[in-house]
């Protein structure tokens, strides 16, 4: 919560811009899909989500993504730690959702799927070290 900072200017955003909602085209470009949650948001927060998810903790990958984003004139900025608050909030929400659903089902396949969602957050949390790595890669 100490990282939240001021309320940013908002615009219509995807709001679920994780790697599973981005695909490469046959021509080498990329596109995103699954816009059912789109609404007002901070494009910088979505950039933070991509840097965490697609960057995978690798500073060179984050640096390359940041450079490509800037070259494409993306509207988001990496102003400071607050850039990652959307990623932290969404991962927390996904984890809580998966835990609630896991407790509510007896289906082994569904429990395995939900466990994988929780493991993704537990095994690779967005810690202060991750925040520092993103900030270092985008400076």
């Amino acid at each position: 919560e100490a990282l939240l900072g001021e309320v940013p200017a908002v615009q219509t955003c995807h709001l679920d811009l994780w790697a599973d909602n981005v695909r490469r085209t046959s021509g080498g470009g990329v596109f995103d899909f699954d816009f059912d949650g789109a609404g007002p948001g901070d494009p910088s927060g979505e950039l933070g989500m991509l840097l965490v998810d697609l960057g995978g903790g690798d500073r060179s990958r984050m640096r390359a993504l940041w450079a490509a984003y800037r070259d494409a004139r993306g509207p988001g900025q990496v102003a400071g730690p607050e850039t990652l608050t959307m990623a932290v909030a969404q991962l927390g929400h996904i984890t809580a959702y998966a835990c609630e659903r896991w407790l509510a089902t007896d289906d082994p396949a569904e429990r395995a799927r939900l466990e994988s969602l929780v493991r993704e957050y537990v095994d690779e949390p967005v810690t202060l070290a991750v925040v520092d790595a993103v900030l270092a890669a985008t400076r």
Side-chain angles (χ1 to χ4, degrees), residues 101-114:
R101 299 288 181 174
W102 189 92
L103 291 169
T105 187
D106 292 328
D107 177 19
E110 180 64 0
R111 277 194 161 185
R113 185 186 76 77
L114 294 165

Side-chain angles (χ1 to χ4, degrees), residues 12-17 21 32-40 46:
T12 300
C13 291
H14 188 281
L15 299 179
D16 192 22
L17 199 53
N21 290 329
D32 53 326
F33 58 96
D34 187 17
F35 285 88
D36 61 327
E46 287 195 318

Side-chain angles (χ1 to χ4, degrees), residues 15 41 44-45 53-54 77 80 93 99 101 104 109:
L15 299 179
S44 297
D53 197 25
L54 298 176
Q77 299 295 318
H93 172 75
C99 288
R101 299 288 181 174

Side-chain angles (χ1 to χ4, degrees), residues 23-91:
R23 296 288 184 271
R24 185 171 289 284
T25 68
S26 59
V30 294
F31 70 96
D32 53 326
F33 58 96
D34 187 17
F35 285 88
D36 61 327
D42 176 12
S44 297
E46 287 195 318
L47 172 60
M49 291 167 57
L50 289 172
L51 289 165
V52 166
D53 197 25
L54 298 176
D58 180 329
R59 287 186 189 191
S60 63
R61 283 177 59 115
M62 288 187 269
R63 194 172 295 113
L65 176 60
W66 171 235
Y69 186 86
R70 274 193 338 248
D71 290 349
R73 298 196 171 130
Q77 299 295 318
V78 180
E82 66 276 9
T83 302
L84 300 183
T85 56
M86 186 184 290
V88 170
Q90 284 204 8
L91 288 169

